[in-house]
Amino acid sequence: MLGRVNHVAIAVPDLAAATAAYNTTLGAKVTAPQALPEHGVTVVFVELPNTKIELLEPLGEGSPIAAFLAKNASGGIHHICYEVEDIIAARDELKKNGARVLGDGEPKIGAHNKPVLFLHPKDFFGTLIELEQV
Amino acid sequence: MLGRVNHVAIAVPDLAAATAAYNTTLGAKVTAPQALPEHGVTVVFVELPNTKIELLEPLGEGSPIAAFLAKNASGGIHHICYEVEDIIAARDELKKNGARVLGDGEPKIGAHNKPVLFLHPKDFFGTLIELEQV
């Protein structure tokens, strides 16, 4: 079921400073910031040869990463996104195996305009897993 | 400086259960467990098309992931490992830019028998970064 690692997401309190750390200090290519008000985040991508790192800063009220940053004030690794071919088939197979899908269980359109789902971190040893249909 | 994401490491309290979750529930290929007493961990690799996930369980006294699991009892994403071409050049450039290298600053031989260094998570927004020379 699991395909490529599409991205690893890191929540940060200060996107400009994090961009500088990845660009200047670590010498990686970082994209321009994109505000995604419908997702409650501003994102940049650190582009690496085989995958990407998504740096996330909260945007607006009720950001989905606000609680995480309240617990991890300096930031931290937030989730891993894996690609799947068929998100409905993946969801149904996971549910059959007892894994819990967050929210109402229906795929949402994610930050890359593709259908995504999140799996409950308690079912995967504390790791929040995003599945993205590609 | 940063090359490929070599792996994302996830610390887990029960490697057999985590292996089953990634193999059976998520349908990924997982290698047989390797005990690495000199590193204080037992590891398996989840092999994905573009990178791998390293599942780590503490082994013996004083495991380097024991403190992390004491704080995150069900487990969690522990670090991201990036490949670099020249670990000494990378280290010297990072130190020049004010980043802190953990330990005595000299590369150690890591779980893949390659020289590795870890960077201070406080300098990278709560993310523990491993660099591996490939």
Side-chain angles (χ1 to χ4, degrees), chain B residues 61-82:
Chain B
E61 297 298 310
S63 170
I65 60 169
F68 179 88
L69 284 169
K71 269 190 262 181
N72 305 276
S74 44
I77 306 173
H78 185 263
H79 67 265
I80 304 180
C81 177
Y82 298 99

Side-chain angles (χ1 to χ4, degrees), chain B residues 98-116:
Chain B
R100 287 167 287 177
V101 176
L102 297 185
D104 65 6
E106 295 305 315
K108 300 287 180 289
I109 297 304
H112 308 117
N113 291 316
K114 305 255 173 80
V116 301

Side-chain angles (χ1 to χ4, degrees), chain B residues 38-49:
Chain B
E38 70 281 24
H39 294 287
V41 290
T42 304
V43 305
V44 306
F45 292 102
V46 181
E47 296 183 338
L48 300 168

Side-chain angles (χ1 to χ4, degrees), chain A residues 1-6 8 10-14 17-19 21-22 24-28 46 48-53 74-80 82 93-94 97-99 119 121-129 131, chain B residues 1-6 8 10-14 17-19 21-22 24-28 46 48-53 74-80 82 93-94 97-99 119 121-129 131:
Chain A
M1 175 190 303
L2 290 190
R4 298 172 75 257
V5 171
N6 183 275
V8 180
I10 299 176
V12 300
D14 180 341
T19 297
Y22 279 83
T24 311
T25 310
L26 291 168
V46 180
L48 299 167
N50 60 333
T51 189
K52 51 190 185 287
I53 306 295
S74 42
I77 307 173
H78 186 263
H79 67 265
I80 303 181
Y82 298 99
E93 177 77 12
L94 284 160
N97 287 320
L119 306 180
K122 285 215 189 302
D123 295 333
F124 296 99
F125 303 91
T127 297
L128 177 61
I129 292 178
L131 299 179
Chain B
M1 174 191 302
L2 291 190
R4 298 172 74 257
V5 171
N6 183 276
V8 180
I10 299 177
V12 300
D14 180 342
T19 296
Y22 280 83
T24 310
T25 311
L26 291 167
V46 181
L48 300 168
N50 61 333
T51 188
K52 52 191 184 284
I53 305 295
S74 44
I77 306 173
H78 185 263
H79 67 265
I80 304 180
Y82 298 99
E93 177 77 11
L94 284 160
N97 286 320
L119 306 181
K122 285 214 188 302
D123 295 334
F124 295 100
F125 302 90
T127 297
L128 177 61
I129 292 177
L131 299 179

